[in-house]
Amino acid sequence: MQKKETQKYWNPILETLPPKKIKELQFKKFKRIVEWAYANSKLYRRLYDDAGFKPEDLKRWEDIYKVPIVQKEDYRKAQAKEPWPYGDTLCVPLDDVTEYHQTSGTTGQPVYQPDTWQDWEWWSEMWAYILWAQGFRKSDRVFIPFGYNVTMASWAGHYASEKVGCEVVPGGILNTEERLLKIKELKASAIMASPSYVIKMAETCKKQLKMDPSELNIQKILCAGEPGASVPSTKKRMEEEWNTKVYDNVMATEVGGWAYECTSQPGGLHVNEAFFLVELVDIDTGDPIEELHIPGKIIITAFDRYAQPCIRFDTKDISMWGKPCECGRTYRILKGGVHGRVDHITKIKGVSFNPLSVEEVVRNTPELADEYFLEVKEEGAAEVLILKVEKRPDVSIDTETLKHNLARQLRLKTNLNFRIEFLEYGTLPRPEVKIQRFIDLRTNKGKR
Ligand SMILES: [Zn+2]
C-alpha cells in the first residue's frame, strides 16, 4: 500500500505503542529469535549450553538477563569453520543466502555477514523508519557519495530510499569535486554520508569550487558511521555550513540500523524498539540500567534477522537513556546518541578520558578548522596529552591567545592539561569514512 506523503510515522501503530505493549512485543520476539538460534546455530547452541541456559528458561522479562552475551570475537572464531565463510554462525542453508557484506575491519579481522532475501527486506524496512522520521519522501532526490562496497551502509540506505519512493543517485565513482558538481547539476535534495565526509565536502566546495555549500540547497543530510551528528558542535558546524538539518543514525553490520534521530531533534536518538531490544548495562558490573542519564554499555538484540542472528550482542558503545521525545513516537531516546566506545575510554594521569569529548571543544572553537588529532605518550615518568589542530586561514586571532583559550576549554571539559600544537592549514587528513583520531603510544595504555 502506498504511504501517504503527509503521514507522520512510517508505521503509525508500532511507533506509538504504549511502553507496556512494546515490552510485551519485545519479549515475544526475543523468545522467538532465541529459540531459532538455539535450534539452528552451532555458535549459539554452544554458547548457551556452556552457560547452562535453555530457551525454555525464558519465562518472564528478567530472564532475558540470564541469556549469555555474545561478542564480536565469538563470531570470528565460529566463522573459522565450515561452511566458508560463515561457519557456525549460519542458521540457514548456504544456498538461501542472497546478500554478502562484512564489517569494516577497523577493530580486527572482519566479521562476514550473510543475509537471506527476507533479512535484506527487513534491512530496507527498518531503514524506511529512519528515512521517514527524517522527512525523506517521494519528492526527494538522494545523493549517496560513497563507492558501494562489501560494507553495508550505502546499500541499505540505497534500497530503503527506493522503498520510501525517493530517487537515488549513486555517486561512488566520482571524486569529491565531481560529486559536488553532480549534486549541483541534478539539484539533489538530500545527502547520506559520514560526518567526516559532510565536513570534507563543505571544505572542498568552498576551496575548489569557490562556492558556499548552502547554495546547493540541500534540504536534509543523513549521517551515520561516526558519532559526529550527535556531537552538538559538530552538528552545528555541519548545519551552518550547509544551511540545512543534519540527522544522526546508528547502525552496525552485525545488528542493523537500530537508532535514529527524528525531525524534532530531541538531542538524542530513538531506538527502533519493535525491531531491536537495546539494553544499557553498567560498564563494570553488567547490571541493567533503566534510570535516565547514567552512562552504560549498549547490548543489542535484533529480533527478525535469521541467517546470522544477533542476540545480546556487546556493541562496546556507550550511551544513556533520555527523556521522551515530543514527536509522539514512544520509542525510547538515547540521549546524545553514542558517546564513544568502551575500549577508547582510558585513564590519563589517573583521570578517566573519553577522546570524543575533545571533538565537542574543537568544533565549538570557530577559529579552528574541522580536523584534529590526539596523541598520548610518555615523556620520562610523565604522561603527555597532545592535541594537533589547524587554525582556519581566514581568522586573525593570534596563535598564543587561541592556544590559551583552547587549553582552558579543554581543561574545563576533561580535567586534563593538553599540549596544543598548531599545524599548517590542510595538513591533517580529510577522511571519507571514520578514522581513528586518537592514538595511545603509552607502553601501559592507561592500565596502571
Ligand atoms: Zn522524536
Side-chain angles (χ1 to χ4, degrees):
M1 195 178 71
Q2 192 77 51
K3 300 270 173 194
K4 282 199 199 95
E5 289 292 279
T6 52
Q7 190 175 304
K8 186 168 178 184
Y9 311 109
W10 177 255
N11 188 319
I13 297 169
L14 289 176
E15 288 179 86
T16 58
L17 271 185
K20 191 169 166 282
K21 292 269 179 213
I22 291 178
K23 264 190 143 177
E24 282 169 21
L25 177 70
Q26 287 184 314
F27 187 68
K28 219 166 115 182
K29 286 182 138 193
F30 185 87
K31 208 169 152 54
R32 187 177 67 188
I33 195 69
V34 166
E35 284 164 357
W36 167 262
Y38 190 76
N40 295 288
S41 156
K42 287 181 190 157
L43 162 67
Y44 279 101
R45 179 176 281 262
R46 200 165 48 238
L47 190 68
Y48 295 173
D49 282 348
D50 287 352
F53 170 81
K54 293 261 178 295
E56 51 269 31
D57 296 340
L58 278 171
K59 295 190 174 67
R60 55 197 183 104
W61 182 269
E62 289 70 23
D63 296 332
I64 288 173
Y65 308 129
K66 294 179 190 160
V67 179
I69 287 174
V70 69
Q71 305 288 343
K72 198 186 265 263
E73 197 49 38
D74 295 325
Y75 285 150
R76 289 193 183 113
K77 280 186 196 149
Q79 289 186 339
K81 303 182 178 183
E82 292 296 321
W84 178 256
Y86 309 116
D88 284 353
T89 65
L90 193 64
C91 274
V92 296
L94 190 56
D95 288 354
D96 288 357
V97 175
T98 60
E99 311 302 314
Y100 170 84
H101 296 96
Q102 65 176 61
T103 58
S104 60
T106 46
T107 56
Q109 163 74 18
V111 170
Y112 305 119
Q113 184 64 51
D115 281 301
T116 62
W117 186 251
Q118 183 185 323
D119 290 333
W120 190 234
E121 288 191 325
W122 166 81
W123 263 97
S124 53
E125 174 66 6
M126 152 226 326
W127 259 72
Y129 282 63
I130 298 172
L131 296 176
W132 200 263
Q134 296 172 358
F136 285 75
R137 296 293 184 271
K138 281 172 68 121
S139 52
D140 279 307
R141 182 171 293 136
V142 182
F143 190 85
I144 305 181
F146 293 134
Y148 298 13
N149 204 301
V150 288
T151 52
M152 184 72 85
S154 299
W155 294 103
H158 184 116
Y159 282 101
S161 298
E162 290 182 340
K163 181 160 189 170
V164 164
C166 304
E167 184 184 345
V168 193
V169 185
I173 196 79
L174 309 171
N175 66 29
T176 301
E177 205 173 322
E178 291 163 344
R179 285 167 185 165
L180 287 158
L181 289 170
K182 189 56 81 180
I183 288 170
K184 187 177 175 213
E185 174 196 342
L186 296 178
K187 296 186 170 64
S189 63
I191 298 173
M192 292 181 183
S194 63
S196 290
Y197 197 60
V198 171
I199 285 167
K200 181 191 166 100
M201 278 197 293
E203 196 179 35
T204 306
C205 195
K206 287 184 286 188
K207 225 157 90 180
Q208 311 292 343
L209 303 183
K210 311 286 178 227
M211 192 169 90
D212 194 302
S214 64
E215 288 174 44
L216 292 169
N217 211 18
I218 293 295
Q219 288 150 40
K220 51 198 156 275
I221 297 175
L222 177 152
C223 279
E226 298 168 300
S230 279
V231 174
S233 59
T234 301
K235 189 188 200 74
K236 188 164 170 265
R237 271 197 182 202
M238 291 190 285
E239 292 196 331
E240 284 178 359
E241 294 269 32
W242 291 87
N243 189 30
T244 193
K245 291 287 181 191
V246 172
Y247 301 113
D248 192 20
N249 301 277
V250 268
M251 60 158 287
T253 307
E254 309 92 324
V255 182
W258 56 274
Y260 55 94
E261 192 174 2
C262 66
T263 50
S264 296
Q265 295 190 312
L269 309 179
H270 285 282
V271 173
N272 188 337
E273 295 197 285
F275 284 59
F276 301 95
L277 175 66
V278 169
E279 305 167 54
L280 289 187
V281 301
D282 186 283
I283 294 164
D284 298 316
T285 64
D287 292 340
I289 297 171
E290 293 295 335
E291 302 88 343
L292 305 189
H293 307 160
I294 298 176
K297 192 165 67 160
I298 304 169
I299 307 290
I300 309 186
T301 301
F303 297 132
D304 311 287
R305 197 178 196 181
Y306 289 97
Q308 183 169 288
C310 168
I311 302 170
R312 298 204 83 209
F313 178 74
D314 183 356
T315 66
K316 302 201 188 301
D317 286 333
I318 300 166
S319 191
M320 58 173 70
W321 294 116
K323 288 184 192 152
C325 179
E326 63 184 27
C327 73
R329 286 178 183 82
T330 46
Y331 289 175
R332 283 185 294 174
I333 293 286
L334 285 174
K335 188 176 178 338
V338 168
H339 304 191
R341 289 177 62 76
V342 172
D343 39 15
H344 291 171
I345 290 178
T346 184
K347 278 203 167 170
I348 297 176
K349 299 175 198 169
V351 178
S352 176
F353 174 67
N354 181 351
L356 196 60
S357 59
V358 172
E359 176 164 324
E360 173 64 6
V361 176
V362 170
R363 302 258 167 88
N364 205 23
T365 307
E367 296 88 356
L368 291 180
D370 301 302
E371 282 306 328
Y372 65 96
F373 192 78
L374 275 166
E375 192 176 293
V376 59
K377 63 180 183 184
E378 287 149 333
E379 282 183 357
E383 291 182 319
V384 189
L385 186 53
I386 301 164
L387 172 65
K388 297 178 181 178
V389 285
E390 300 168 0
K391 197 161 80 168
R392 279 188 196 273
D394 50 351
V395 295
S396 56
I397 187 168
D398 74 273
T399 305
E400 280 311 307
T401 310
L402 183 55
K403 194 185 266 189
H404 176 79
N405 293 347
L406 187 57
R408 195 172 147 268
Q409 291 304 322
L410 288 164
R411 203 162 42 242
L412 282 172
K413 184 84 182 172
T414 64
N415 288 318
L416 286 164
N417 287 320
F418 288 67
R419 180 188 294 168
I420 298 165
E421 292 179 3
F422 282 91
L423 304 180
E424 196 182 328
Y425 179 72
T427 311
L428 289 165
R430 268 61 173 168
E432 289 199 8
V433 287
K434 63 180 167 189
I435 55 157
Q436 186 64 274
R437 292 185 173 92
F438 174 62
I439 185 166
D440 192 341
L441 299 169
R442 294 172 297 176
T443 42
N444 61 27
K445 307 278 184 210
K447 294 184 188 80
R448 42 176 70 192

